[in-house]
């Protein structure tokens, strides 16, 4: 990845439940000399003519070099098409062809494999306080 500026790293996740993780990532990314981009940061560029989802997608399309997705227990806000905002952000980053890093809360990943065995089981009723993550 050759560029004339520090890479910008977009962090995608639900906010309220993963705020401590987001703050750690913001600090870590900055310490690496990269530009952390988080939608709840005061430095997040906002186009007043766009809604929150459109602002995030525009930034991914135009200025994001690396995409980090953190998946926790919450689905988050939905767009008009029923997809979560984080899902849309991920799909846009994937379509752009930039490096993607996905981290899944351990409890969620374990519940997913249990659900795959029996989709009728409500295994996703989890304690979201656990902040252990697996990368994929």
């Amino acid at each position: 990845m050759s560029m004339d500026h520090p890479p910008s790293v977009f962090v995608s996740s639900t906010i309220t439940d993963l705020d401590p993780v987001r703050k750690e990532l913001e600090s870590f990314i900055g310490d690496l000399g990269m530009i952390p981009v988080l939608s709840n940061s005061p430095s997040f560029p906002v186009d007043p003519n766009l809604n929150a989802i459109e602002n995030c997608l525009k930034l991914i399309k135009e200025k994001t070099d690396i995409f980090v997705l953190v998946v926790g227990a919450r689905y988050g806000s939905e767009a008009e098409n029923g997809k979560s905002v984080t899902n849309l952000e991920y799909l846009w980053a994937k379509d752009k062809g930039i490096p993607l890093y996905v981290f899944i809360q351990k409890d969620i990943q374990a519940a997913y494999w249990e659900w795959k065995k029996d989709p009728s089981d409500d295994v996703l009723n989890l304690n979201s306080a656990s902040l252990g993550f697996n990368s994929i």
Side-chain angles (χ1 to χ4, degrees), residues 56-71:
C56 289
L57 298 178
K58 177 183 177 187
L59 195 60
I60 291 167
K61 181 179 179 182
E62 296 178 358
K63 298 187 180 190
T64 298
D65 301 307
I66 299 170
F67 184 85
V68 174
L69 172 63
V70 181
V71 178

Side-chain angles (χ1 to χ4, degrees), residues 24-44:
E24 288 283 332
L25 280 170
E26 183 174 27
S27 177
F28 178 73
I29 292 164
D31 289 347
L32 291 175
M34 297 187 240
I35 302 166
V37 180
L38 292 90
S39 62
N40 61 328
S41 171
S43 64
F44 189 82

